[in-house]
Structure formats: C-alpha cells, structure tokens
C-alpha cells in the first residue's frame, strides 16, 4: 500500500519535472505585451519656484497621475537572463499649483512624456505557468508638447528630459503555450527642471519618481 502511494507520487513528480521545459521561458524567446499602464508620481510636490514674483513664497507644483497604452518587450539572452524594454503611447500629465502663491491656482501646465526604460532581468523560471522576474536598468524620459494654462497663460514652460535608474518586477501567467496575461511594476527615478519663459515664475526641480503599473496580455514568440 505504502509502496503503491510512493510510486504514484514519484510518477506525479516526474511528470511535473518532464513538463517543466515546455512552460519555462528559454534562451532566444521573445515576449511582447500590451496593456493598460498607469504612472503614479511618488512625490506630491516640486521644489519651490525661484522667480521674482514667487521667491520666498514657498510656491510648489504637483504632477497628476496619467494612464496610457503600455507596450513591453523581453528577449531572453539565456534561460534566466533577459533584456526588457518598456515603451508606451505618450502619457499626459497635468501640473497644478500646490502651495504658496501657486496654491489653488488649478492646472498651470499639461505635458506629454514618453519614458522608455531598458532593463536587465532575472527570470526565476520555475517551469510553471506562473513566471516571475525582477529587473533593473535605466530610464530616459522625454517631455514634450507643454501647454500653459491659468496663471502661466501667455508664458511658456519647458521641462528638461531626464535620465534615471529604474527597478522592476513582473509576473506572466502563460496559457495555450504561447499566450500570457501579465502584471508589471516599475519604480523610476525621474527628475526634471521646469523652466518658465517668465523671470517672474523662474524655475524649479520637479521630482516625479513614479511607480508605473501595467496590466496586459501578451504572446511569446
Ligand atoms: Ni528623483
């Protein structure tokens, strides 16, 4: 009786091990995902603006969340090491007055941004449908299409592009061999200098440092 049970267990374990390679990602696999991405700034205010009209008034701004279509790719260099890329359709953020003379001034600016992020990933590759990984790398954020509003109307404001480090974690659930649903998260160091064309407004560093969340579907090639 005991022997029979042992044999059944051994058979089951052997079957699991034998089926593992088919489910694991392997060297040379290319994974593409698309889905809903959300950028959530972790910092809720900028530094103070230093313009002549704002100096000493502790005037700060904050950056809103933004949603867009996210696209991510991974290429497996080995069975465990992959290169990951986060791309997206542009995110659009509102920048609002937060404190000092800018408090309650509503939307001052909107901007679009693209945050391509390249990471080196470690895929734990347990050989099951669930496929977790972590990664670290570098982000470049390109800010464009700024429109001023309210108190800034009639002036222009530029946001410097940003280089920063990024960390990520994610998990794919594979089904029908090559299809998957995925959840991903990044923490990205994004800091920009907002520079007004008006010396009365001046400039300020805006620390955005967002969490980026993405839920998507994908395919392994
Ligand atoms: Ni930062």
């Amino acid at each position: 009786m005991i022997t029979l049970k042992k044999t059944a267990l051994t058979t089951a374990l052997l079957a699991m091990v034998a089926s593992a390679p088919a489910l694991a990602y392997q060297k040379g696999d290319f994974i593409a995902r698309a889905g809903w991405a959300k950028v959530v700034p972790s910092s809720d205010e900028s530094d103070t603006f230093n313009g002549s009209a704002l100096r000493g008034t502790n005037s700060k701004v904050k950056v809103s969340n933004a949603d867009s279509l996210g696209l991510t790719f991974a290429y497996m260099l080995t069975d465990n090491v992959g290169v990951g890329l986060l791309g997206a359709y542009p995110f659009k953020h509102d920048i609002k007055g937060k404190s000092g003379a800018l408090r309650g001034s509503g939307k001052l600016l909107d901007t679009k941004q693209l945050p391509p992020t390249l990471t080196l990933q470690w895929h734990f590759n347990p050989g099951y449908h669930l496929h977790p990984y972590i990664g670290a790398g570098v982000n470049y954020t390109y800010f464009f299409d700024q429109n001023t509003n309210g108190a800034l109307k009639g002036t222009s404001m530029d946001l410097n592009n940003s280089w920063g480090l990024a960390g990520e974690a994610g998990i794919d659930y594979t089904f029908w061999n090559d299809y998957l649903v995925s959840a991903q998260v990044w923490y990205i160091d994004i800091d920009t200098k907002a520079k007004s064309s008006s010396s009365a407004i001046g400039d300020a560093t805006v620390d955005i440092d967002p969490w980026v969340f993405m839920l998507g579907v994908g395919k392994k090639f």
Side-chain angles (χ1 to χ4, degrees):
M1 193 65 183
I2 288 165
T3 314
L4 236 181
K5 267 187 187 165
K6 261 188 184 165
T7 308
L9 185 62
T10 308
T11 309
L13 283 172
L14 281 173
M16 276 172 77
V17 171
S19 71
L23 293 171
Y25 289 166
Q26 291 172 317
K27 179 182 174 179
D29 282 349
F30 179 76
I31 299 129
R33 314 176 191 84
W36 165 63
K38 187 175 194 75
V39 175
V40 180
S42 69
S43 160
D44 72 347
E45 61 181 33
S46 69
D47 286 351
T48 53
F49 277 85
N50 65 1
S52 56
L54 299 180
R55 206 170 291 146
T57 62
N58 194 36
S59 294
K60 299 177 178 179
V61 296
K62 65 175 179 178
V63 181
S64 73
N65 297 348
D67 301 88
S68 190
L69 169 70
L71 299 168
T72 68
F73 306 95
Y75 179 74
M76 299 303 293
L77 299 172
T78 74
D79 289 354
N80 292 100
V81 177
V83 177
L85 178 69
L86 163 65
Y89 191 77
F91 292 93
K92 187 179 177 188
H93 297 267
D94 288 346
I95 296 180
K96 294 178 178 170
K98 159 90 179 174
S99 66
L102 296 176
R103 188 194 175 100
S105 55
K107 183 169 101 171
L108 298 170
L109 181 76
D110 60 59
T111 183
K112 290 179 184 161
Q113 57 98 348
L114 273 174
T117 303
L118 192 65
T119 53
L120 201 57
Q121 302 173 329
W122 178 261
H123 294 254
F124 295 95
N125 225 352
Y128 306 118
H129 289 282
L130 280 175
H131 187 97
Y133 57 91
I134 54 174
V138 66
N139 163 266
Y140 178 74
T141 299
Y142 172 63
F143 292 96
F144 63 103
D145 211 358
Q146 283 99 24
N147 296 297
T148 53
N149 200 56
L152 296 191
K153 196 96 193 167
T155 68
S156 66
M157 185 169 274
D158 278 336
L159 297 176
N160 284 355
N161 298 332
S162 162
W163 283 100
L165 296 177
E168 74 173 327
I171 191 160
D172 293 336
Y173 178 84
T174 54
F175 59 96
W176 297 343
N177 293 328
D178 293 337
Y179 292 86
L180 54 106
V181 290
S182 73
Q184 292 170 275
V185 60
W186 296 259
Y187 180 79
I188 308 178
D189 185 25
I190 302 177
D191 307 316
T192 179
K193 189 146 209 169
K195 290 185 191 167
S196 175
S197 62
S198 159
S199 60
I201 305 293
D203 54 54
T205 297
V206 185
D207 238 344
I208 303 172
D209 299 345
W211 290 96
V212 180
F213 303 96
M214 181 168 146
L215 293 174
V217 292
K219 190 174 188 308
K220 183 180 84 174
F221 297 91

